Amino acid sequence: MDIQFWAGSETAYHAAIKAASRNAPEQSEAPDLYERVGSVGVVHIMGSLIPGDAGWMSMFGITGYSDIRAALVKAVDDEDVTSIMLDVNSGGGAVTGMSDTAAFIGQVAKLKPVTVYAENAASAAYRLAAEGSHITVSDS
């Protein structure tokens, strides 16, 4: 809602803004790292890896270690998922958070089998991929 001039009260202005925001189209959200394909839970590990949540930086291809762990929890909780595949395309990233996330993947692998498909898995990304029982790499 584009209001250039408002002759009403401040309370009425905020009510108009609130009403307009309810009718506004939803803004695009950060890409979800988890999806289910058949009975396989796919966790996407893409771009630079950082400690914590990527938040708005995920819009620019950055993935947080906390985001990866949250996606893995979704995969484990999904009753229709029988195995998990890590879809890795990352040159790596921060050391902080890497070991904890790798250990978390190892714990998840005790609950559901974890395999890896890697387009690019370097540095910290390779450390995460190493927790899978099998790594398939692209020809490139």
Side-chain angles (χ1 to χ4, degrees):
M1 182 175 195
D2 184 21
I3 300 174
Q4 296 179 1
F5 175 77
W6 186 261
S9 68
E10 183 177 348
T11 303
Y13 173 76
H14 290 293
I17 294 297
K18 185 176 181 181
S21 67
R22 276 185 294 217
N23 297 326
E26 289 192 28
Q27 298 200 7
S28 61
E29 295 182 15
D32 194 3
L33 300 184
Y34 172 72
E35 69 175 312
R36 187 179 66 220
V37 178
S39 63
V40 178
V42 180
V43 175
H44 302 282
I45 300 175
M46 306 290 174
S48 296
L49 306 176
I50 64 168
D53 298 324
W56 61 270
M57 292 182 289
S58 64
M59 302 299 268
F60 300 100
I62 295 173
T63 301
Y65 290 122
S66 295
D67 301 324
I68 295 168
R69 291 191 298 269
L72 287 164
V73 168
K74 285 182 184 179
V76 169
D77 286 346
D78 191 335
E79 293 178 2
D80 294 327
V81 167
T82 58
S83 65
I84 299 169
M85 182 184 78
L86 304 181
D87 173 26
V88 182
N89 189 359
S90 170
V95 173
T96 304
M98 175 193 62
S99 293
D100 292 341
T101 304
F104 190 82
I105 294 169
Q107 292 300 312
V108 165
K110 293 177 182 177
L111 302 172
K112 293 185 180 182
V114 175
T115 59
V116 178
Y117 173 77
E119 182 72 29
N120 175 25
S123 192
Y126 183 75
R127 173 64 185 95
L128 300 182
E131 290 297 322
S133 62
H134 180 83
I135 300 174
T136 302
V137 296
S138 73
D139 291 338
S140 60

